[in-house]
């Protein structure tokens, strides 16, 4: 199999690239624009073809996809706060870029496209409720980021129904692990706690997220390639719901910064209170389930950031005020 991974230098993308490259007989091509989120160092330990290019550039996508059997489309703008400040890049990459990839995949007659999406397209669940989102639930995104991802999902579904392109959509919950930029909650708190800096937390900190370890997310994407049904959507959740405040406290405990202050800051506009995913379909049809809990894996992730100061310094320089 020859696979194109868009956004393959990013956090989830590079983990996917490493997993695919380790499989016998799998050739991997990476297409990445190397914006702030595309980190070249994420790919230094894997033998893959890397092409610098923008998913919104039809010629670049067409060249990268040539000869590929499958496309795993992960290239996306994904930081909610940035989308609230300015959604231009989100609409361009997550909507137009998805359209360009779908069109190129159809023209190249690839066997399958897997579009990596997010649980945020569903909107919010009640904080104290026990229900979880299912794949057939309506899309009610709250942030510009989530709205742009929902639009990409709808485009992919339309390409399947109108053009017959074999498309599978996965919707992952909050993903965490090594090599995640410290603009996201867990690595941001790890890096700040290790430096003795205050830990800013939106609102009351009771917002609940379903945490999915990056290698579990990657195994779900690969299962979607191998066993997913064309035109289907699969929720990939960690079945590991934790409040943000509890996650931050767990980070502080493992970093050893007990005196590090957790500071409440003004809540994010449109901040969803709770996400949770029903993963019955992925478990039944893909034979997939999450394996690493937050409690089991957090110590190793904290150690990874402590052991890679050069990577962290470079990441902080990329992020500037967002770190």
């Amino acid at each position: 199999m020859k696979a194109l991974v868009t956004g393959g230098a990013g956090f989830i993308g590079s983990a996917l690239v490493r997993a695919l490259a380790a499989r016998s007989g799998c050739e991997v091509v990476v297409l990445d624009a190397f914006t702030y989120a595309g980190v070249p160092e994420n790919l230094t330990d894997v033998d893959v073809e890397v092409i610098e290019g923008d998913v919104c550039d039809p010629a670049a996508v067409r060249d990268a996809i040539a000869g590929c059997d499958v496309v795993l489309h992960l290239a996306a703008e994904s930081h909610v706060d940035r989308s609230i400040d300015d959604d231009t890049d989100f609409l361009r990459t997550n909507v137009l870029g998805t359209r360009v990839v779908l069109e190129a995949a159809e023209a190249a007659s690839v066997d399958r496209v897997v579009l990596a999406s997010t649980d945020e397209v569903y909107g919010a669940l009640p904080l104290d409720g026990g229900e979880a989102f299912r794949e057939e639930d309506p899309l009610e995104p709250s942030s510009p980021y989530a709205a742009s991802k929902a639009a990409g999902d709808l485009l992919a579904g339309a390409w399947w129904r109108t053009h017959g392109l074999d498309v599978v959509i996965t919707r992952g919950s909050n993903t965490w692990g090594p090599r995640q930029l410290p603009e996201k909650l867990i690595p941001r708190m790890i890096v700040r706690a290790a430096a003795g800096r205050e830990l800013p937390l939106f609102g009351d900190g009771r917002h609940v997220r379903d945490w999915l370890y990056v290698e579990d997310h990657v195994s779900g994407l690969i299962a979607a390639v191998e066993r997913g049904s064309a035109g289907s959507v699969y929720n990939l959740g960690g079945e590991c719901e934790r409040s943000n405040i509890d996650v931050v406290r767990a980070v502080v405990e493992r970093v050893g910064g007990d005196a590090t202050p957790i500071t409440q800051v003004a809540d994010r506009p449109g901040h969803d209170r709770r996400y949770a995913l029903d993963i019955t379909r992925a478990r039944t049809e893909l034979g997939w389930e999450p394996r690493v809990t937050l409690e089991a894996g957090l110590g190793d992730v904290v150690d990874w950031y402590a052991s890679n100061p050069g990577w962290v310094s470079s990441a902080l320089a990329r992020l500037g005020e967002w770190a």
Side-chain angles (χ1 to χ4, degrees), residues 65 67-71 101 104-113 165-166:
I65 210 170
C68 289
D69 304 298
V70 300
V71 177
V101 169
E106 180 192 3
S109 299
V110 301
D111 296 330
R112 168 155 290 179
V113 176
L165 180 65
D166 186 320

Side-chain angles (χ1 to χ4, degrees), residues 143-219:
S143 69
Y145 156 63
S148 68
K149 290 297 291 182
D153 288 11
L154 294 174
L155 272 177
W159 233 269
W160 153 245
R161 286 183 285 273
T162 300
H163 299 286
L165 180 65
D166 186 320
V167 176
V168 175
I169 298 169
T170 62
R171 292 180 179 144
S173 60
N174 275 47
T175 304
W176 63 284
R179 297 182 179 85
Q180 187 173 30
L181 289 175
E183 64 179 0
K184 302 297 177 70
L185 180 67
I186 289 179
R188 190 180 193 212
M189 296 304 162
I190 290 173
V191 170
R192 291 178 74 96
R197 300 172 63 190
E198 68 177 9
L199 309 178
L201 189 61
F202 283 130
D204 60 12
R206 295 180 61 226
H207 305 80
V208 171
R209 299 295 181 258
D210 177 14
W211 295 96
L212 175 66
Y213 189 60
V214 64
E215 291 183 6
D216 287 335
H217 195 154
V218 163
S219 69

Side-chain angles (χ1 to χ4, degrees), residues 79-142:
H79 192 221
V80 174
D81 297 319
R82 290 177 187 263
S83 81
I84 293 171
D85 278 3
D86 184 354
D87 60 17
T88 305
D89 288 342
F90 291 78
L91 297 174
R92 179 179 180 275
T93 301
N94 300 353
V95 183
L96 176 60
T98 297
R99 180 238 176 218
V100 170
V101 169
L102 293 169
E103 185 175 57
E106 180 192 3
S109 299
V110 301
D111 296 330
R112 168 155 290 179
V113 176
V114 173
L115 171 63
S117 188
T118 171
D119 58 358
E120 296 189 45
V121 299
Y122 294 116
L125 289 168
L127 186 60
D128 300 321
E131 64 268 44
F133 287 121
R134 299 191 302 172
E135 289 86 351
E136 56 270 16
D137 284 338
L139 306 187
E140 298 179 342
S142 298

Side-chain angles (χ1 to χ4, degrees), residues 231-307:
S232 292
V233 177
Y234 295 94
N235 287 339
L236 303 178
E239 295 190 325
C240 184
E241 290 186 54
R242 303 289 184 273
S243 69
N244 287 347
I245 184 65
D246 286 343
V247 170
V248 175
R249 287 169 177 160
V251 167
V252 170
E253 179 181 351
R254 283 162 175 77
V255 172
D258 294 336
T260 306
I262 299 174
T263 306
Q264 286 185 308
V265 297
D267 205 357
R268 169 194 292 158
H271 198 180
D272 293 331
R273 290 299 271 175
R274 174 174 167 259
Y275 303 138
L277 292 177
D278 183 328
I279 63 170
T280 301
R281 181 180 296 174
R283 184 174 272 130
T284 302
E285 297 186 18
L286 304 182
W288 173 88
E289 61 183 339
R291 299 186 181 279
V292 180
T293 65
L294 196 65
E295 289 74 16
L298 186 57
D300 288 342
V301 174
V302 168
D303 290 345
W304 187 90
Y305 284 93
S307 301

